[in-house]
Amino acid sequence: MNRLFDTHHFRQSRQAAPVWNMTPLCADRPAQPVKVCVPGTWESIPGMGNYRGKCLYEQKFDGCGNMRFYFEGVSFRARVLVDGKELATHYGAYTGFDAIAPELESGTHLLQVEADNSWGDDSALHIPNDYYSYGGITRPVLIENIGDAYLTALHITTEKTAEGWLAHVEITAQSLLDTDANYAITLKIEGITANKIPQPLPVFLPARQQITLRHTIHCCDVTPWTPSAPHLYPVKAHLSNGSAVIDDLIERFGFREIRLQEQHILLNGEKLTLKGFNRHEDWGAFGCSIPLAAMVQDLKLMQDMGCNCVRTCHYPNDPLFLDLCDEMGMLVWEESHARGLNEKHMLHPRFMEQNLLCTREMVAQHYNHPSIFIWGCLNECADDTEYGADCYRKTYQLLHELDQSRPMTAALLERKGGKVYGDSDVVSINLYPLWYYEGNVKQQLDQKLAEIDANGGGNKPFIVSEIGAGAIYGNHDPLNESKWSEEKQCTILKAQIEAVLSHPRCSGIFLWQFADCRVCEETFYGRPRTYNNKGVVNEYRQPKLAYKTVKDLFRK
Ligand code: ADA
C-alpha cells in the first residue's frame, strides 16, 4: 500500500511483489542474491548494518503495452532498468519518481533497480550528517498499465470566500503518442454539492507533451478540515478519448485556509498555538522504512502528549505518514532536504540543482495534504553569508511560485547572523539553552527576538523550531545532576517549554526530538551510541521520563 485511499479505480495499478532478489554490488561481498523485503532498508539485514554502496534489486513481472513504475522512495540514488534497458535515474531518498517502459511485448519481463547510498562528489544533500542516510528501496513501488495518454497530477487549492468555498483544480495530462490528439477530462468532488455540475473539459494534447488545465468549482455544503474534525474529500478525474475512459486519478484533500495575520498563524480564521515534535523517519529495527502500524503509533504517542503538530525534519516524508496526519488531524511542517550545510557545502556545484529539485518534487507530490500548513527548507544552513542568504531567497521564491496557499519558513540556527529574517513568511529559530550552553531561556528568546525585530522579522509569526536536551534511555541520576540522565532531560525540557509557551511572541514550539535516531559515524562520533539521544522516546518508542514531563506541560 502506498496511500491510505485508492488512487485509481480505472488504471491497473498494483504494488510490486514485496519480496525481491537483492545483490550487493561490491568486490568484498559475495555477489549472491538474497531475498529481501521491499519497502525496507538493507541496514536491517544481518551483516549489512553499516553497508555503504550499491545493491541491485530484481524481480520479474508480467506486463504488456505501456507500463509505468512508480517509486515512492529509493535511498538515495536510483537507476531503473527493464529488460536491461535503463529507463530512469533519480537522486534523493525522500521524493517519488517514475519510469515508463513503452510498448512492452506481452510476457514476463525483468525489473531491476540499482540503489546506491555511497557518499560521493555528485551528492550535495546526502552527506555524513546528524541522521542516517539508509540504503535500499525504502518506500513502496507501484507497477501500472497506462494507455496512450495518462493523468500525472491533480492539485486542489481551497479558498474561503464570502460566498463560500472554492476548489481550484489543476490537472495535468501527458501524451505518449507520436501524434497530436484530443481528449476530455471530467472532475468530481465526492460528497459536496457544486453550484455547477462540471462538464467534460476538452484537452488537446500535442504529441509527447503534457498539458495542465485549470478549473474552479464553487462548492456548497462543505465541512472544513480542522485538527479536531479532519474531514477529507476525494476528488476524481477521468481522462477519455471521446468514446471511452482511458485513465483516472483520485486525490484527497480538505477545505481549509492558512493565513498569516501580523504575528499569528491562522487556520480557518483561528489563531494556532503549535505544540509538537521534530520527528526523523527512523525506527530501531526498520531504519527509515517505517511500517504503517509503527507510524500510527508515533502519531498516537505524540497526540497522547498533547501535540497538534509535527515537523518532518529534515526532508519530505513518506506520503503514508502524511495521509495519517490528514486523517488524524495532525498539522505538519514539511521540509525539503538539507541540514546543517555551511557555505562550502552550499557552493557545491550540484547543491542548488538538488535542493530545488527536492523542493519542487516535495510540493508537487504532497500539495494536497491539508495537514501540511507550512513548507520549510534549508535547516541551519549558511544564512549568515551573502551567498548562503541568496540560496535561501531563491528557495523561498520557488516555494512561493509553487504554492501561494501556504506560508514558508526555514529553521535557522540561533547563533548565526540571520540575513534572511525579512525574506520568509514565518521566522523560525533552533536554540538549545541549558543543553549546549548555560543561560536563561526567556532572556535568550528576548535577545533573539530583539535581533529578529531589528532585522526585518518584526511583524511576522515566530516559531521555536527546535529546542531540547538528551538522555540515554534507562540512565538515571536521582540527584538530577548529570547530563544524559532521564531526570536532567526532564528538568531542562520543563524550563525550555515553560519559557517558550509563556512567551507572548511565540506561535509555537517543536521539541527536538520525538524519538532517538541513528546518526552517521563519520562525523558524529561525539554522540553516545552513535544516536542523537534527544528523543523523549528511544528508537523503539520506549518512553523516557520526559514523556510525562512533556505531556503534563503540553496538556496544561
Ligand atoms: C540542530 C539540527 C538537528 C540536530 C540538533 C541537535 O539544531 O537542526 O538536526 O542536529 O541540532 O541535536 O543538536
Side-chain angles (χ1 to χ4, degrees):
M1 192 193 350
N2 70 320
R3 301 298 300 269
L4 291 184
F5 57 95
D6 292 339
T7 48
H8 305 280
H9 287 155
F10 179 84
R11 187 189 300 178
Q12 285 178 39
S13 175
R14 61 183 195 273
Q15 187 149 350
V19 178
W20 294 56
N21 286 325
M22 187 197 81
T23 313
L25 301 178
C26 162
D28 56 3
R29 299 212 168 228
Q32 287 291 357
V34 289
K35 300 270 180 218
V36 297
C37 186
V38 167
T41 60
W42 60 57
E43 287 80 1
S44 305
I45 300 167
M48 296 199 61
N50 290 314
Y51 180 70
R52 207 156 273 292
K54 283 185 190 164
C55 284
L56 181 68
Y57 288 73
E58 297 177 290
Q59 75 163 248
K60 296 209 165 118
F61 66 96
D62 290 332
C64 83
N66 293 334
M67 305 280 303
R68 174 176 184 260
F69 305 88
Y70 186 71
F71 300 87
E72 288 284 11
V74 176
S75 189
F76 57 80
R77 289 182 205 84
R79 238 181 110 217
V80 179
L81 302 94
V82 166
D83 299 334
K85 184 169 173 229
E86 182 180 296
L87 298 180
T89 60
H90 185 259
Y91 170 82
Y94 309 115
T95 43
F97 63 97
D98 67 3
I100 309 274
E103 296 167 18
L104 288 184
E105 280 180 17
S106 174
T108 302
H109 301 271
L110 178 65
L111 172 61
Q112 292 172 304
V113 181
E114 197 181 272
D116 178 2
N117 77 340
S118 52
W119 308 129
D121 289 345
D122 62 328
S123 176
L125 306 180
H126 284 280
I127 57 170
N129 219 323
D130 200 12
Y131 57 91
Y132 202 82
S133 278
Y134 288 93
I137 306 179
T138 58
R139 293 183 186 169
V141 180
L142 300 178
I143 301 183
E144 303 186 327
N145 290 78
I146 48 174
D148 294 334
Y150 67 108
L151 298 170
T152 59
L154 176 54
H155 285 172
I156 317 291
T157 310
T158 58
E159 185 188 348
K160 200 175 169 194
T161 69
E163 287 77 47
W165 286 92
L166 304 178
H168 303 289
V169 184
E170 267 193 24
I171 175 136
T172 306
Q174 167 79 49
S175 163
L176 293 176
L177 276 182
D178 287 328
T179 50
D180 303 348
N182 286 300
Y183 298 91
I185 291 175
T186 48
L187 288 168
K188 186 168 183 338
I189 300 174
E190 302 271 313
I192 56 147
T193 45
N195 76 347
K196 266 196 261 154
I197 305 292
Q199 296 301 312
L201 306 167
V203 43
F204 170 73
L205 272 184
R208 304 246 155 227
Q209 287 190 32
Q210 75 176 27
I211 292 286
T212 298
L213 296 186
R214 289 175 183 83
H215 185 68
T216 294
I217 304 175
H218 297 254
C219 306
C220 309
D221 300 329
V222 162
T223 308
W225 185 96
T226 65
S228 55
H231 201 91
L232 297 167
Y233 288 91
V235 51
K236 299 184 174 173
H238 286 95
L239 179 71
S240 56
N241 64 4
S243 52
V245 171
I246 58 166
D247 195 32
D248 71 339
L249 184 57
I250 305 170
E251 276 286 349
R252 202 172 68 164
F253 71 102
F255 287 89
R256 59 107 185 85
E257 179 205 57
I258 305 289
R259 201 155 44 82
L260 303 184
Q261 199 174 59
E262 296 176 344
Q263 297 176 340
H264 304 297
I265 306 172
L266 308 184
L267 171 71
N268 299 335
E270 284 184 24
K271 195 172 116 187
L272 283 177
T273 302
L274 301 159
K275 292 187 238 173
F277 277 101
N278 287 277
R279 172 183 175 272
H280 267 294
E281 279 186 324
D282 200 354
W283 204 106
F286 305 110
C288 66
S289 194
I290 304 182
L292 183 66
M295 292 182 193
V296 174
Q297 190 201 23
D298 281 3
L299 284 165
K300 289 214 180 284
L301 290 171
M302 286 190 260
Q303 289 188 331
D304 178 54
M305 280 185 272
C307 296
N308 60 4
C309 58
V310 58
R311 174 172 168 231
T312 72
C313 57
H314 298 300
Y315 37 77
N317 270 21
D318 190 326
L320 274 173
F321 182 74
L322 301 171
D323 281 348
L324 286 169
C325 291
D326 292 343
E327 292 197 5
M328 293 169 71
M330 193 73 149
L331 292 162
V332 179
W333 161 332
E334 174 146 273
E335 162 159 315
S336 140
H337 185 203
R339 179 210 168 271
L341 306 181
N342 59 29
E343 190 178 63
K344 191 162 163 252
H345 292 125
M346 294 173 96
L347 282 163
H348 187 294
R350 307 288 302 271
F351 165 70
M352 256 334 236
E353 166 208 331
Q354 292 176 351
N355 164 44
L356 297 182
L357 175 72
C358 179
T359 305
R360 270 181 197 289
E361 291 180 336
M362 169 181 81
V363 177
Q365 292 166 21
H366 301 167
Y367 190 89
N368 295 324
H369 292 282
S371 56
I372 299 177
F373 74 101
I374 196 164
W375 298 118
C377 60
L378 301 178
N379 174 80
E380 291 189 357
C381 296
D383 62 302
D384 54 341
T385 71
E386 281 309 328
Y387 172 76
D390 192 48
C391 295
Y392 272 90
R393 289 189 196 109
K394 288 189 172 125
T395 314
Y396 290 160
Q397 191 188 335
L398 178 66
L399 283 168
H400 265 171
E401 276 165 24
L402 297 173
D403 186 357
Q404 284 99 54
S405 71
R406 291 177 176 94
M408 49 67 181
T409 189
L412 305 176
L413 180 61
E414 182 204 7
R415 281 167 290 169
K416 285 208 172 150
K419 293 184 186 300
V420 293
Y421 299 139
D423 297 293
S424 61
D425 298 323
V426 173
V427 179
S428 306
I429 299 290
N430 298 344
L431 69 164
Y432 287 86
L434 308 180
W435 177 253
Y436 286 126
Y437 46 90
E438 289 311 316
N440 173 293
V441 185
K442 179 172 180 318
Q443 270 172 16
Q444 286 177 17
L445 276 173
D446 287 341
Q447 265 172 23
K448 194 68 202 174
L449 278 159
E451 185 205 318
I452 290 168
D453 291 353
N455 287 283
N459 207 25
K460 297 177 186 225
F462 171 76
I463 293 177
V464 172
S465 35
E466 289 182 27
I467 194 161
I472 302 205
Y473 175 75
N475 178 32
H476 289 285
D477 173 11
L479 300 182
N480 192 8
E481 285 169 352
S482 60
K483 279 195 169 170
W484 302 112
S485 69
E486 292 197 29
E487 288 80 1
K488 188 77 176 176
Q489 185 187 31
C490 293
T491 308
I492 297 177
L493 277 176
K494 183 165 185 297
Q496 294 171 334
I497 295 170
E498 282 176 344
V500 176
L501 287 184
S502 63
H503 202 293
R505 199 53 180 82
C506 295
S507 291
I509 183 169
F510 289 84
L511 296 176
W512 188 272
Q513 62 178 339
F514 169 61
D516 293 348
C517 69
R518 186 174 172 186
V519 304
C520 288
E521 297 179 11
E522 291 88 337
T523 48
F524 286 90
Y525 275 121
R527 298 262 187 249
R529 315 187 302 131
T530 29
Y531 266 75
N532 185 316
N533 296 292
K534 297 189 192 73
V536 300
V537 298
N538 70 5
E539 64 275 24
Y540 294 101
R541 279 43 179 176
Q542 289 168 293
K544 303 179 191 173
L545 292 177
Y547 185 100
K548 186 161 179 311
T549 305
V550 173
K551 184 170 174 174
D552 290 346
L553 292 165
F554 274 9
R555 283 188 170 275
K556 211 167 173 179

